[in-house]
Amino acid sequence: MTTSKMPLQVWILTLSAFAIGTAEFVIAGLLTTVSESLHITEGQAGNLITAYALSIVIGGPILTLGLARFDKRKVLIGLMGLFVIGNIIAAFTTNYHVLLLSRVIAGLTQGPFYGIGAVVATSMVPNKMAGRAVGQMFAGLTLANVLGVPGGSFIGQVFGWNSTFIVVAALGVIAALAIAITIPSQGKGATVGISSQLKAFKNWNLVASLLITTLSWVGFMGFYGYIAPIAESVAGFSRADVTWILIIVGLGLVIGNVIGGKTADNNLSLSLIMWPIAMVISLAFIGMAAPYKIPFVIASFIFGIASFANVPSLQMRVMKYGAEAPELTATANISAFNIANALGGAIGAYVVDSTMGASMIPYAAMLIPVIGIIFIMSQETRAAQKVAV
């Protein structure tokens, strides 16, 4: 393939990522609404973030191992079907524990879908466009934050939060049909034994890559998952204002995703170091700006750029060192992202329900990424020394 244009199939994967991304992140805009409706604390509502993330962490690699032998097209359609079921359950419950269960069911699909989808996307373009193909697919996540999350937040505020999940389920149906219509059969996957796939994790560079993803990404959900209570209780915005704040942050995510794909293609090592540092600085800026409306929005927008610029380079490093089992390692990286989301959600839940309050969330979200930056620098230095030798 010599064309520089993304094939239609990559755009379809983008649409699917949009549906899944909306389901994952929409709770950020509904946090206070859900907590009031179900008579639970904001920290307990934050557990809906953690449950979804842990479902991805645990279920993703297991499903990927079991599904590796099947036609990728059928697997992607089946995963979207399970995703729809999870969100339909959420749409028709008023019970907190059933809602938690629905998040677990929907979360099971994300890891294998993104992992398998990323492999399919990169196989459709030249090697020099691999970073942009991954970035294009994950643009669905960024668009979810520009359109899906604010739209879901608005729908939840006007029609009730259950209505949001009806719309998310409908998005899943559309995505499944689009895959069935536009993506041809991929044939049966290579019959690779589980033990053979797991051997890939004997490579320290792969393990280090997964650790890099987890450590550097904690700050994202640590702040983003609690943007509504920070905006309302610290910056002084109304609940209705949260919708347009999420749109502005989402625009930052789109810009960051595009920039991150280009920098990852140009210099992967530099991109891996530069963007986590930028995200930590933006969190410090948010902490200082939070009591002031306009500075808070500006800082949040910058955070959006810095955070999602990380995604292509983090995914590419894992795929670089996990070539022996590309689908499993790509899915493992989605799990690594969601270990970070679970940690970030748990940190935010603890802080928001403690005497520290929402104003301290951005500072708490910085702590683990700082450790991540130190670890990234050590690993990239080590890799450079090996190349030099």
Side-chain angles (χ1 to χ4, degrees):
M1 180 180 290
T2 58
T3 180
S4 61
K5 294 182 179 179
M6 288 294 167
L8 175 63
Q9 290 87 348
V10 177
W11 287 99
I12 295 304
L13 293 172
T14 304
L15 170 65
S16 304
F18 173 82
I20 296 172
T22 299
E24 179 178 14
F25 296 122
V26 74
I27 200 68
L30 298 173
L31 203 68
T32 53
T33 303
V34 170
S35 67
E36 290 180 1
S37 172
L38 300 183
H39 307 292
I40 56 177
T41 68
E42 290 175 344
Q44 288 175 309
N47 289 334
L48 297 169
I49 298 171
T50 303
Y52 191 99
L54 289 177
S55 177
I56 297 170
V57 171
I58 298 168
I62 295 172
L63 279 176
T64 301
L65 283 169
L67 297 171
R69 71 188 70 178
F70 299 105
D71 181 349
K72 293 182 179 64
R73 172 178 174 271
K74 292 180 179 178
V75 169
L76 294 178
I77 294 170
L79 289 170
M80 289 308 300
L82 184 60
F83 170 82
V84 169
I85 291 170
N87 284 287
I88 286 176
I89 292 172
F92 292 97
T93 186
T94 56
N95 182 280
Y96 172 63
H97 294 98
V98 174
L99 183 58
L100 273 173
L101 176 62
S102 75
R103 298 288 288 170
V104 169
I105 293 172
L108 285 172
T109 66
Q110 181 165 318
F113 192 97
Y114 283 170
I116 294 170
V119 173
V120 172
T122 56
S123 71
M124 294 178 180
V125 298
N127 288 336
K128 66 180 181 180
M129 292 178 61
R132 275 168 280 179
V134 173
Q136 175 65 58
M137 178 179 167
F138 280 90
L141 274 175
T142 61
L143 288 173
N145 285 283
V146 176
L147 302 174
V149 174
S153 175
F154 175 79
I155 290 169
Q157 291 168 14
V158 175
F159 301 104
W161 61 265
N162 296 83
S163 301
T164 300
F165 290 101
I166 293 175
V167 175
V168 170
L171 285 173
V173 171
I174 293 170
L177 290 173
I179 292 169
I181 293 169
T182 64
I183 296 182
S185 173
Q186 302 294 298
K188 290 186 177 181
T191 306
V192 181
I194 292 175
S195 61
S196 297
Q197 295 187 63
L198 292 175
K199 284 181 181 178
F201 294 93
K202 292 182 178 180
N203 183 347
W204 166 249
N205 285 318
L206 173 58
V207 175
S209 298
L210 296 171
L211 287 172
I212 285 171
T213 296
T214 297
L215 293 171
S216 62
W217 191 248
V218 170
F220 176 75
M221 192 58 74
F223 167 68
Y224 188 80
Y226 296 87
I227 193 170
I230 297 172
E232 292 176 33
S233 65
V234 183
F237 287 102
S238 70
R239 184 162 301 174
D241 289 330
V242 172
T243 297
W244 66 260
I245 294 171
L246 288 169
I247 292 173
I248 291 173
V249 176
L251 289 172
L253 299 180
V254 171
I255 295 169
N257 190 72
V258 173
I259 295 173
K262 292 180 179 178
T263 59
D265 282 334
N266 292 335
N267 191 324
L268 180 58
S269 181
L270 177 62
S271 187
L272 283 163
I273 295 170
M274 175 176 65
W275 293 118
I277 291 174
M279 186 171 72
V280 166
I281 292 172
S282 71
L283 285 168
F285 185 17
I286 290 170
M288 293 183 287
Y292 312 100
K293 288 186 175 180
I294 300 303
F296 171 74
V297 174
I298 293 172
S300 299
F301 174 70
I302 294 171
F303 166 83
I305 296 173
S307 60
F308 255 62
N310 282 282
V311 173
S313 59
L314 294 174
Q315 188 76 2
M316 283 181 68
R317 194 183 204 275
V318 167
M319 295 175 76
K320 174 182 177 181
Y321 292 113
E324 294 180 37
E327 294 174 11
L328 178 60
T329 53
T331 303
N333 200 39
I334 301 302
S335 292
F337 274 114
N338 282 280
I339 290 173
N341 283 344
L343 284 171
I347 290 169
Y350 173 78
V351 174
V352 77
D353 279 353
S354 74
T355 55
M356 290 183 284
S359 64
M360 292 302 295
I361 287 177
Y363 297 115
M366 293 170 51
L367 299 178
I368 294 179
V370 169
I371 298 172
I373 291 167
I374 296 170
F375 184 68
I376 292 168
M377 288 180 172
S378 70
Q379 293 306 304
E380 289 302 298
T381 300
R382 179 174 175 267
Q385 289 172 343
K386 280 194 172 183
V387 171
V389 171

